[in-house]
Coordinates of all heavy atoms in Angstrom, one line a residue:
M2 N 12.3 40.8 192.1 CA 12.6 39.7 191.2 C 13.3 38.6 192.0 O 14.1 38.8 192.9 CB 13.7 40.3 190.2 CG 14.3 39.2 189.4 SD 15.4 39.9 188.2 CE 15.0 38.9 186.8
L3 N 12.9 37.3 191.8 CA 13.4 36.2 192.5 C 14.6 35.7 191.8 O 14.7 35.7 190.5 CB 12.3 35.1 192.6 CG 11.1 35.5 193.4 CD1 10.1 34.3 193.4 CD2 11.4 35.9 194.9
T4 N 15.6 35.3 192.6 CA 16.8 34.6 192.1 C 16.9 33.3 192.7 O 16.6 33.0 193.8 CB 18.0 35.5 192.5 OG1 17.9 36.8 192.1 CG2 19.3 34.9 191.9
Y5 N 17.3 32.3 191.9 CA 17.4 30.9 192.3 C 18.8 30.4 192.2 O 19.6 30.7 191.3 CB 16.5 30.0 191.4 CG 15.2 30.5 191.3 CD1 14.8 31.5 190.3 CD2 14.1 30.1 192.1 CE1 13.4 32.0 190.2 CE2 12.8 30.5 192.0 CZ 12.5 31.5 191.1 OH 11.2 31.9 191.0
Y6 N 19.2 29.7 193.2 CA 20.6 29.2 193.3 C 20.6 27.7 193.5 O 19.9 27.2 194.4 CB 21.4 29.8 194.5 CG 21.6 31.3 194.3 CD1 20.8 32.2 194.9 CD2 22.7 31.7 193.6 CE1 21.0 33.6 194.7 CE2 23.0 33.1 193.4 CZ 22.1 34.0 194.0 OH 22.4 35.3 193.8
A7 N 21.4 27.0 192.7 CA 21.6 25.5 193.0 C 22.8 25.4 193.8 O 23.8 26.1 193.6 CB 21.8 24.8 191.6
V8 N 22.8 24.6 194.8 CA 23.9 24.4 195.8 C 24.4 23.0 195.6 O 23.6 22.0 195.7 CB 23.4 24.7 197.2 CG1 24.5 24.5 198.2 CG2 22.8 26.1 197.4
Y9 N 25.7 22.9 195.5 CA 26.4 21.6 195.3 C 27.2 21.2 196.6 O 27.6 22.1 197.4 CB 27.4 21.7 194.2 CG 26.7 22.0 192.9 CD1 26.4 23.3 192.5 CD2 26.2 21.0 192.1 CE1 25.8 23.6 191.3 CE2 25.5 21.3 190.9 CZ 25.3 22.6 190.5 OH 24.6 22.9 189.4
R10 N 27.4 20.0 196.8 CA 28.1 19.4 198.0 C 29.6 19.8 197.9 O 30.3 20.0 198.9 CB 28.0 17.9 198.0 CG 26.6 17.5 198.3 CD 26.6 15.9 198.5 NE 25.2 15.4 198.4 CZ 24.3 15.6 199.3 NH1 24.5 16.2 200.4 NH2 23.1 15.0 199.1
S11 N 30.1 20.0 196.6 CA 31.5 20.3 196.5 C 31.7 21.2 195.3 O 30.7 21.5 194.6 CB 32.4 19.0 196.3 OG 32.1 18.4 195.0
A12 N 32.9 21.6 195.0 CA 33.1 22.4 193.8 C 33.0 21.7 192.6 O 32.9 22.3 191.4 CB 34.6 23.0 193.9
D13 N 32.9 20.4 192.6 CA 32.7 19.6 191.4 C 31.2 19.6 191.0 O 30.4 18.8 191.5 CB 33.1 18.1 191.7 CG 33.0 17.2 190.5 OD1 32.7 17.7 189.4 OD2 33.1 16.0 190.6
K14 N 30.9 20.5 190.1 CA 29.5 20.7 189.8 C 29.0 19.6 188.7 O 27.9 19.7 188.3 CB 29.3 22.1 189.1 CG 29.5 23.2 190.2 CD 29.3 24.5 189.6 CE 29.6 25.6 190.6 NZ 29.8 26.9 190.1
N15 N 29.8 18.6 188.5 CA 29.3 17.4 187.8 C 28.4 16.6 188.6 O 27.6 15.8 188.1 CB 30.5 16.6 187.2 CG 31.3 17.4 186.3 OD1 30.8 18.1 185.4 ND2 32.6 17.2 186.2
E16 N 28.5 16.7 189.9 CA 27.6 16.0 190.8 C 26.3 16.7 190.7 O 26.2 17.9 190.5 CB 28.1 16.1 192.3 CG 29.4 15.5 192.5 CD 29.9 15.8 194.0 OE1 29.0 16.0 194.8 OE2 31.1 15.7 194.2
P17 N 25.2 16.0 191.1 CA 23.8 16.7 191.1 C 23.8 17.7 192.2 O 24.5 17.5 193.2 CB 22.9 15.5 191.3 CG 23.6 14.3 191.2 CD 25.1 14.6 191.3
A18 N 23.1 18.8 192.0 CA 22.9 19.8 193.0 C 22.2 19.1 194.3 O 21.4 18.2 194.1 CB 22.0 20.9 192.6
A19 N 22.6 19.6 195.4 CA 22.1 19.0 196.7 C 21.2 19.9 197.4 O 20.5 19.5 198.4 CB 23.4 18.7 197.6
G20 N 21.1 21.2 197.0 CA 20.2 22.1 197.7 C 19.8 23.3 196.8 O 20.3 23.4 195.6
I21 N 18.9 24.1 197.3 CA 18.4 25.2 196.4 C 18.0 26.3 197.4 O 17.5 26.1 198.5 CB 17.2 24.7 195.6 CG1 16.9 25.7 194.5 CG2 16.1 24.2 196.3 CD1 16.1 25.2 193.4
F22 N 18.2 27.5 196.9 CA 17.9 28.8 197.6 C 17.0 29.5 196.6 O 17.2 29.6 195.4 CB 19.0 29.7 197.9 CG 20.1 29.1 198.8 CD1 21.3 29.7 198.8 CD2 19.8 28.1 199.7 CE1 22.4 29.2 199.6 CE2 20.8 27.6 200.6 CZ 22.1 28.2 200.5
I23 N 15.9 30.1 197.2 CA 15.1 31.1 196.4 C 15.2 32.4 197.1 O 14.9 32.5 198.4 CB 13.6 30.7 196.5 CG1 13.4 29.3 195.9 CG2 12.7 31.7 195.6 CD1 12.0 28.7 196.1
M24 N 15.7 33.4 196.5 CA 16.0 34.7 197.1 C 15.4 35.9 196.4 O 15.2 35.9 195.2 CB 17.5 34.9 197.2 CG 18.2 33.8 197.9 SD 20.0 34.1 198.1 CE 20.0 35.4 199.2
D25 N 15.1 36.9 197.2 CA 14.8 38.2 196.7 C 16.0 39.1 197.3 O 16.0 39.6 198.4 CB 13.5 38.7 197.3 CG 13.2 40.2 196.8 OD1 14.1 40.9 196.4 OD2 12.0 40.6 197.0
V26 N 17.1 39.1 196.5 CA 18.3 39.7 197.0 C 18.1 41.2 197.3 O 18.7 41.6 198.3 CB 19.4 39.5 195.8 CG1 20.7 40.2 196.3 CG2 19.6 38.1 195.6
A27 N 17.3 41.9 196.6 CA 17.2 43.3 196.8 C 16.6 43.6 198.2 O 16.9 44.7 198.8 CB 16.3 43.9 195.7
H28 N 15.7 42.7 198.7 CA 15.1 42.9 199.9 C 15.6 42.0 201.1 O 15.1 42.1 202.2 CB 13.6 42.8 199.8 CG 13.0 43.8 198.9 ND1 12.7 43.6 197.6 CD2 12.7 45.1 199.0 CE1 12.3 44.7 197.0 NE2 12.3 45.6 197.9
G29 N 16.6 41.2 200.8 CA 17.2 40.4 201.8 C 16.4 39.2 202.3 O 16.5 38.9 203.4
H30 N 15.6 38.6 201.4 CA 14.8 37.5 201.8 C 15.3 36.3 201.1 O 15.9 36.3 200.0 CB 13.3 37.7 201.2 CG 12.6 38.8 201.9 ND1 12.3 38.9 203.2 CD2 12.1 40.0 201.3 CE1 11.6 40.0 203.4 NE2 11.5 40.7 202.3
A31 N 15.1 35.1 201.8 CA 15.5 33.8 201.2 C 14.7 32.7 201.8 O 14.4 32.6 203.0 CB 17.0 33.6 201.4
L32 N 14.3 31.7 200.9 CA 13.8 30.5 201.4 C 14.9 29.4 201.1 O 15.5 29.5 200.0 CB 12.6 30.0 200.6 CG 11.2 30.7 201.0 CD1 10.1 30.1 200.1 CD2 10.9 30.6 202.5
V33 N 15.1 28.5 202.0 CA 16.2 27.6 201.8 C 15.6 26.2 202.0 O 14.8 26.0 203.0 CB 17.3 27.8 202.9 CG1 18.3 26.7 202.9 CG2 17.9 29.2 202.8
W34 N 15.9 25.3 201.1 CA 15.4 23.9 201.4 C 16.3 23.3 202.4 O 17.5 23.2 202.3 CB 15.5 23.1 200.1 CG 15.2 21.6 200.4 CD1 16.0 20.6 200.4 CD2 13.8 21.1 200.7 NE1 15.3 19.4 200.8 CE2 14.0 19.7 200.9 CE3 12.6 21.6 200.8 CZ2 12.9 18.9 201.3 CZ3 11.5 20.9 201.2 CH2 11.7 19.5 201.4
N35 N 15.7 22.9 203.5 CA 16.4 22.3 204.7 C 16.2 20.8 204.6 O 15.1 20.3 204.9 CB 15.9 22.9 206.0 CG 16.7 22.3 207.2 OD1 16.7 21.1 207.4 ND2 17.3 23.2 207.9
H36 N 17.2 20.0 204.2 CA 17.0 18.6 204.0 C 16.8 17.9 205.3 O 16.2 16.8 205.4 CB 18.2 18.0 203.2 CG 19.5 18.1 204.0 ND1 20.3 19.2 203.9 CD2 20.2 17.2 204.7 CE1 21.4 19.0 204.6 NE2 21.3 17.8 205.1
R37 N 17.3 18.4 206.4 CA 17.1 17.8 207.7 C 15.6 17.8 208.2 O 15.1 16.8 208.7 CB 18.0 18.4 208.8 CG 19.5 18.1 208.6 CD 20.3 18.6 209.7 NE 21.7 18.3 209.4 CZ 22.7 19.1 209.4 NH1 22.5 20.4 209.6 NH2 23.9 18.8 209.1
S38 N 15.0 18.9 208.0 CA 13.6 19.0 208.4 C 12.7 18.7 207.2 O 11.5 18.5 207.5 CB 13.3 20.5 208.9 OG 13.4 21.4 207.9
G39 N 13.2 18.6 206.1 CA 12.4 18.3 204.9 C 11.4 19.3 204.5 O 10.2 19.1 204.2
A40 N 11.8 20.6 204.7 CA 10.8 21.7 204.5 C 11.6 22.9 204.0 O 12.8 23.1 204.1 CB 10.2 22.1 205.8
W41 N 10.8 23.9 203.4 CA 11.4 25.2 202.9 C 11.3 26.1 204.2 O 10.3 26.2 204.8 CB 10.5 25.8 201.8 CG 10.6 25.1 200.5 CD1 9.8 24.1 200.0 CD2 11.7 25.3 199.6 NE1 10.3 23.7 198.8 CE2 11.4 24.4 198.5 CE3 12.8 26.1 199.5 CZ2 12.2 24.4 197.4 CZ3 13.6 26.1 198.4 CH2 13.3 25.2 197.3
L42 N 12.5 26.6 204.5 CA 12.5 27.5 205.7 C 12.9 28.9 205.2 O 13.7 29.1 204.4 CB 13.6 27.0 206.6 CG 13.4 25.6 207.2 CD1 14.6 25.3 208.1 CD2 12.1 25.5 207.9
Y43 N 12.3 29.9 205.9 CA 12.6 31.3 205.7 C 13.9 31.5 206.5 O 13.8 31.5 207.7 CB 11.5 32.2 206.1 CG 11.9 33.7 206.0 CD1 11.7 34.3 204.7 CD2 12.3 34.4 207.1 CE1 12.1 35.6 204.6 CE2 12.7 35.8 206.9 CZ 12.6 36.4 205.6 OH 12.9 37.7 205.5
D44 N 15.0 31.6 205.8 CA 16.3 31.8 206.5 C 17.3 32.5 205.7 O 18.3 32.0 205.2 CB 16.8 30.4 206.9 CG 17.9 30.4 207.9 OD1 18.5 31.6 208.2 OD2 18.3 29.4 208.5
P45 N 17.0 33.9 205.6 CA 18.0 34.7 204.8 C 19.4 34.7 205.3 O 20.3 34.8 204.6 CB 17.4 36.1 204.8 CG 16.3 36.1 205.9 CD 15.9 34.7 206.1
G46 N 19.5 34.6 206.7 CA 20.8 34.5 207.3 C 21.7 33.4 206.8 O 22.8 33.5 206.4
A47 N 21.1 32.2 206.8 CA 21.8 31.0 206.3 C 22.2 31.2 204.9 O 23.3 30.8 204.5 CB 21.0 29.8 206.6
A48 N 21.3 31.6 204.0 CA 21.6 31.8 202.6 C 22.7 32.8 202.4 O 23.7 32.5 201.6 CB 20.3 32.2 201.9
L49 N 22.7 33.9 203.1 CA 23.7 34.9 202.9 C 25.0 34.5 203.4 O 26.0 34.7 202.8 CB 23.2 36.2 203.5 CG 22.1 36.9 202.8 CD1 21.6 38.1 203.6 CD2 22.4 37.3 201.4
R50 N 25.1 33.8 204.5 CA 26.3 33.3 205.1 C 27.0 32.3 204.1 O 28.2 32.4 203.9 CB 26.1 32.6 206.5 CG 26.0 33.6 207.6 CD 26.0 32.9 208.9 NE 24.9 31.8 209.1 CZ 23.7 32.1 209.4 NH1 23.3 33.3 209.7 NH2 22.8 31.1 209.6
F51 N 26.1 31.4 203.5 CA 26.7 30.5 202.6 C 27.2 31.2 201.3 O 28.3 30.9 200.9 CB 25.6 29.5 202.2 CG 26.1 28.4 201.3 CD1 26.6 27.2 201.8 CD2 26.0 28.5 199.9 CE1 27.1 26.2 201.0 CE2 26.5 27.5 199.1 CZ 27.1 26.4 199.6
L52 N 26.4 32.1 200.7 CA 26.8 32.7 199.5 C 27.9 33.7 199.7 O 28.7 33.8 198.7 CB 25.5 33.5 198.9 CG 24.4 32.6 198.5 CD1 23.2 33.5 198.0 CD2 24.8 31.6 197.4
D53 N 28.0 34.3 200.8 CA 29.1 35.3 201.1 C 30.4 34.6 201.5 O 31.4 35.3 201.6 CB 28.7 36.3 202.1 CG 27.7 37.3 201.5 OD1 27.6 37.4 200.3 OD2 27.1 38.0 202.3
D54 N 30.4 33.3 201.8 CA 31.6 32.7 202.3 C 32.5 32.3 201.1 O 32.1 31.5 200.2 CB 31.2 31.4 203.1 CG 32.4 30.8 203.8 OD1 33.5 30.9 203.3 OD2 32.2 30.1 204.8
Y55 N 33.7 32.8 201.0 CA 34.6 32.6 199.9 C 34.9 31.1 199.7 O 35.1 30.7 198.5 CB 35.9 33.3 200.0 CG 36.9 32.7 201.1 CD1 37.8 31.8 200.8 CD2 36.7 33.1 202.4 CE1 38.6 31.3 201.8 CE2 37.5 32.5 203.4 CZ 38.5 31.6 203.1 OH 39.3 31.0 204.0
R56 N 34.7 30.3 200.7 CA 35.0 28.9 200.5 C 33.9 28.2 199.7 O 34.0 27.0 199.3 CB 35.1 28.2 201.9 CG 36.4 28.7 202.7 CD 36.3 28.2 204.1 NE 35.2 28.9 204.8 CZ 34.9 28.8 206.1 NH1 35.7 28.0 206.9 NH2 33.9 29.4 206.6
N57 N 32.8 28.8 199.6 CA 31.6 28.3 198.9 C 31.4 28.8 197.4 O 30.5 28.4 196.8 CB 30.3 28.5 199.7 CG 30.3 27.8 201.0 OD1 30.9 26.8 201.1 ND2 29.7 28.4 202.0
F58 N 32.3 29.8 197.0 CA 32.1 30.4 195.7 C 32.0 29.4 194.6 O 31.3 29.7 193.6 CB 33.1 31.4 195.5 CG 33.1 32.7 196.3 CD1 34.1 33.6 196.3 CD2 32.0 32.9 197.1 CE1 34.0 34.8 197.0 CE2 31.8 34.1 197.8 CZ 32.9 35.0 197.8
D59 N 32.6 28.3 194.7 CA 32.6 27.2 193.6 C 31.5 26.2 193.9 O 31.4 25.2 193.1 CB 33.9 26.5 193.5 CG 35.0 27.4 193.0 OD1 34.7 28.4 192.3 OD2 36.2 27.1 193.3
R60 N 30.7 26.4 195.0 CA 29.7 25.4 195.3 C 28.3 25.8 195.0 O 27.3 25.1 195.4 CB 29.8 25.1 196.8 CG 31.1 24.4 197.1 CD 31.1 23.9 198.5 NE 30.0 23.1 198.9 CZ 29.3 23.2 200.1 NH1 29.8 24.0 201.0 NH2 28.2 22.5 200.3
Y61 N 28.1 26.9 194.3 CA 26.7 27.2 193.9 C 26.7 28.0 192.6 O 27.8 28.4 192.1 CB 26.1 28.1 195.0 CG 26.7 29.5 195.2 CD1 26.3 30.5 194.4 CD2 27.6 29.7 196.1 CE1 26.9 31.8 194.6 CE2 28.2 30.9 196.3 CZ 27.8 32.0 195.5 OH 28.4 33.2 195.7
E62 N 25.6 28.1 191.9 CA 25.4 28.8 190.7 C 24.0 29.3 190.6 O 23.1 28.6 191.1 CB 25.8 28.0 189.5 CG 24.9 26.8 189.2 CD 25.4 26.0 188.0 OE1 26.2 26.5 187.2 OE2 24.9 24.8 187.9
E63 N 23.8 30.4 190.0 CA 22.5 31.0 189.8 C 21.9 30.2 188.6 O 22.6 29.9 187.6 CB 22.6 32.5 189.4 CG 21.2 33.1 189.3 CD 21.4 34.6 189.0 OE1 22.3 35.2 189.4 OE2 20.4 35.1 188.4
V64 N 20.6 29.8 188.8 CA 19.9 29.1 187.7 C 18.6 29.8 187.4 O 18.1 30.5 188.2 CB 19.7 27.6 188.1 CG1 20.9 26.9 188.3 CG2 18.8 27.5 189.4
E65 N 18.1 29.5 186.2 CA 16.8 30.0 185.8 C 15.7 29.4 186.6 O 15.9 28.3 187.0 CB 16.6 29.8 184.2 CG 17.6 30.5 183.4 CD 17.5 32.0 183.5 OE1 16.3 32.5 183.6 OE2 18.5 32.8 183.4
E66 N 14.5 30.0 186.5 CA 13.4 29.4 187.3 C 13.0 28.1 186.8 O 12.8 27.2 187.7 CB 12.2 30.4 187.2 CG 11.0 29.8 188.0 CD 9.8 30.7 187.9 OE1 9.8 31.7 187.1 OE2 8.7 30.4 188.5
G67 N 13.0 27.8 185.6 CA 12.6 26.5 185.1 C 13.6 25.4 185.5 O 13.2 24.3 186.0
A68 N 14.9 25.7 185.5 CA 15.9 24.7 186.0 C 15.7 24.6 187.5 O 15.9 23.5 188.0 CB 17.3 25.2 185.6
A69 N 15.4 25.7 188.2 CA 15.2 25.6 189.6 C 14.0 24.6 190.0 O 14.1 23.9 190.9 CB 15.0 26.9 190.3
R70 N 13.0 24.7 189.2 CA 11.8 23.9 189.4 C 12.2 22.4 189.2 O 11.7 21.5 190.0 CB 10.7 24.3 188.5 CG 10.1 25.6 188.8 CD 8.7 25.8 188.2 NE 8.2 27.1 188.8 CZ 7.7 27.3 190.0 NH1 7.7 26.2 190.8 NH2 7.3 28.4 190.4
V71 N 12.9 22.1 188.2 CA 13.4 20.7 188.0 C 14.2 20.2 189.1 O 14.1 19.1 189.7 CB 14.1 20.6 186.6 CG1 14.7 19.2 186.4 CG2 13.1 20.9 185.4
L72 N 15.2 21.1 189.5 CA 16.1 20.7 190.7 C 15.3 20.5 191.9 O 15.5 19.5 192.7 CB 17.1 21.8 190.9 CG 18.3 21.9 189.9 CD1 19.0 23.2 190.1 CD2 19.1 20.7 190.0
A73 N 14.4 21.4 192.2 CA 13.6 21.4 193.4 C 12.8 20.1 193.5 O 12.7 19.4 194.6 CB 12.6 22.6 193.5
E74 N 12.2 19.6 192.4 CA 11.5 18.4 192.4 C 12.4 17.2 192.7 O 12.0 16.3 193.5 CB 10.7 18.2 191.1 CG 9.7 17.0 191.2 CD 8.8 17.0 190.0 OE1 8.3 18.1 189.6 OE2 8.5 15.9 189.5
R75 N 13.5 17.2 192.1 CA 14.5 16.1 192.4 C 15.0 16.2 193.8 O 15.2 15.1 194.5 CB 15.7 16.2 191.4 CG 16.6 15.0 191.5 CD 17.8 15.1 190.5 NE 18.5 16.3 190.5 CZ 19.3 16.7 191.6 NH1 19.5 15.9 192.6 NH2 20.0 17.7 191.5
I76 N 15.4 17.3 194.3 CA 16.0 17.5 195.6 C 15.0 17.2 196.7 O 15.2 16.6 197.7 CB 16.6 18.8 195.8 CG1 17.9 19.0 194.8 CG2 17.1 19.1 197.1 CD1 18.4 20.3 194.6
T77 N 13.8 17.9 196.6 CA 12.8 17.9 197.6 C 11.7 16.8 197.5 O 11.1 16.5 198.5 CB 12.0 19.2 197.7 OG1 11.1 19.3 196.5 CG2 13.0 20.4 197.7
G78 N 11.6 16.2 196.3 CA 10.6 15.2 196.1 C 9.2 15.8 195.9 O 8.2 15.1 195.8
G79 N 9.2 17.1 195.7 CA 7.9 17.8 195.5 C 8.1 19.0 194.7 O 9.2 19.4 194.3
A80 N 7.0 19.8 194.4 CA 7.1 21.0 193.6 C 7.7 22.1 194.4 O 7.5 22.2 195.6 CB 5.7 21.4 193.1
M81 N 8.4 23.0 193.8 CA 9.0 24.2 194.3 C 7.8 25.2 194.6 O 6.9 25.2 193.8 CB 10.0 24.8 193.4 CG 10.7 26.1 193.9 SD 12.0 26.6 192.8 CE 11.0 27.5 191.6
P82 N 7.8 25.9 195.7 CA 6.7 26.8 195.9 C 6.6 27.9 194.8 O 7.6 28.3 194.2 CB 7.0 27.5 197.2 CG 8.2 26.8 197.8 CD 8.8 25.9 196.7
G83 N 5.4 28.2 194.4 CA 5.1 29.3 193.4 C 5.5 30.6 193.9 O 5.6 30.9 195.1
E84 N 5.6 31.6 192.9 CA 6.0 32.9 193.3 C 5.1 33.6 194.3 O 5.6 34.2 195.3 CB 6.2 33.8 192.1 CG 6.8 35.2 192.4 CD 7.1 36.0 191.2 OE1 7.2 35.4 190.1 OE2 7.4 37.2 191.4
D85 N 3.8 33.4 194.2 CA 2.9 34.0 195.2 C 3.1 33.5 196.5 O 3.1 34.2 197.5 CB 1.4 33.7 194.7 CG 1.0 34.5 193.5 OD1 1.7 35.5 193.2 OD2 0.0 34.2 192.9
H86 N 3.3 32.2 196.7 CA 3.6 31.6 198.0 C 4.9 32.1 198.5 O 5.0 32.4 199.8 CB 3.6 30.0 197.9 CG 3.9 29.3 199.2 ND1 2.9 29.1 200.1 CD2 5.1 28.8 199.6 CE1 3.5 28.5 201.1 NE2 4.8 28.3 200.9
V87 N 6.0 32.2 197.7 CA 7.2 32.7 198.1 C 7.1 34.1 198.6 O 7.6 34.4 199.7 CB 8.3 32.5 197.0 CG1 9.6 33.2 197.4 CG2 8.6 31.1 196.7
R88 N 6.4 34.9 197.9 CA 6.3 36.3 198.3 C 5.5 36.4 199.6 O 5.9 37.3 200.5 CB 5.6 37.1 197.2 CG 6.4 37.2 195.9 CD 7.0 38.6 195.7 NE 7.8 38.6 194.5 CZ 9.1 38.9 194.5 NH1 9.6 39.2 195.7 NH2 9.8 38.9 193.4
A89 N 4.5 35.6 199.8 CA 3.8 35.6 201.0 C 4.7 35.2 202.2 O 4.6 35.8 203.3 CB 2.6 34.7 201.0
R90 N 5.5 34.2 202.0 CA 6.4 33.8 203.1 C 7.4 34.9 203.3 O 7.8 35.2 204.5 CB 7.2 32.6 202.6 CG 6.4 31.3 202.4 CD 6.1 30.5 203.7 NE 7.3 30.1 204.5 CZ 7.9 28.9 204.4 NH1 7.6 28.1 203.5 NH2 8.9 28.7 205.2
F91 N 7.9 35.6 202.3 CA 8.9 36.7 202.5 C 8.2 37.9 203.3 O 8.8 38.4 204.2 CB 9.3 37.3 201.1 CG 10.3 36.3 200.4 CD1 10.7 36.7 199.2 CD2 10.8 35.2 201.0 CE1 11.6 35.8 198.5 CE2 11.7 34.4 200.4 CZ 12.1 34.7 199.1
E92 N 7.0 38.2 202.9 CA 6.3 39.3 203.7 C 6.0 38.9 205.1 O 6.1 39.8 206.0 CB 4.9 39.6 203.0 CG 5.1 40.3 201.7 CD 3.8 40.5 200.9 OE1 2.7 40.5 201.5 OE2 3.9 40.7 199.7
S93 N 5.7 37.7 205.4 CA 5.5 37.3 206.8 C 6.7 37.0 207.6 O 6.7 36.9 208.8 CB 4.6 36.0 206.8 OG 5.3 34.9 206.4
G94 N 7.9 36.8 206.8 CA 9.1 36.5 207.5 C 9.2 35.1 208.1 O 9.9 34.8 209.0
R95 N 8.4 34.2 207.5 CA 8.4 32.8 208.0 C 8.5 31.8 206.8 O 8.1 32.0 205.8 CB 7.0 32.4 208.7 CG 6.9 33.2 209.9 CD 5.8 32.7 210.8 NE 4.7 33.7 210.8 CZ 3.4 33.5 210.8 NH1 3.0 32.2 210.8 NH2 2.5 34.4 210.9

């Protein structure tokens, strides 16, 4: 099961989300939108470090897939990868 997280610049969630994670928590996989490279990167370490850091607990929230798709389009300027693509990336580790 995939889980989607909206990431905010600060604890003030009234601001628009600035990032998004797509995760398979049970298997330790994650795609992270990297705004610097303008690409989805397979980086479970970065996602877990961010989510597990107590200083960030107020800077993210789990969102439904539909909301994640809307956020991804706004944040990335393109469509969020589909589940088949995400699973293939998870299996390849890239």
Side-chain angles (χ1 to χ4, degrees):
M2 173 179 221
L3 297 179
T4 305
Y5 306 89
Y6 293 96
V8 178
Y9 298 89
R10 294 185 198 285
S11 70
D13 180 9
K14 292 180 185 161
N15 292 325
E16 299 175 20
I21 191 161
F22 300 158
I23 305 171
M24 299 185 69
D25 179 344
V26 178
H28 296 100
H30 297 295
L32 284 183
V33 175
W34 174 255
N35 183 301
H36 64 277
R37 289 187 180 123
S38 65
W41 289 97
L42 300 180
Y43 179 81
D44 197 345
L49 290 173
R50 281 189 303 276
F51 184 89
L52 297 175
D53 286 344
D54 187 332
Y55 72 92
R56 295 170 293 187
N57 296 327
F58 288 170
D59 292 337
R60 294 188 49 219
Y61 67 87
E62 65 183 343
E63 185 176 335
V64 295
E65 296 293 325
E66 180 182 3
R70 290 197 174 285
V71 171
L72 286 171
E74 190 165 320
R75 187 181 51 73
I76 292 167
T77 70
M81 185 174 77
E84 185 171 347
D85 290 341
H86 179 82
V87 170
R88 295 252 177 241
R90 295 275 305 266
F91 287 173
E92 288 176 19
S93 71
R95 295 192 246 148

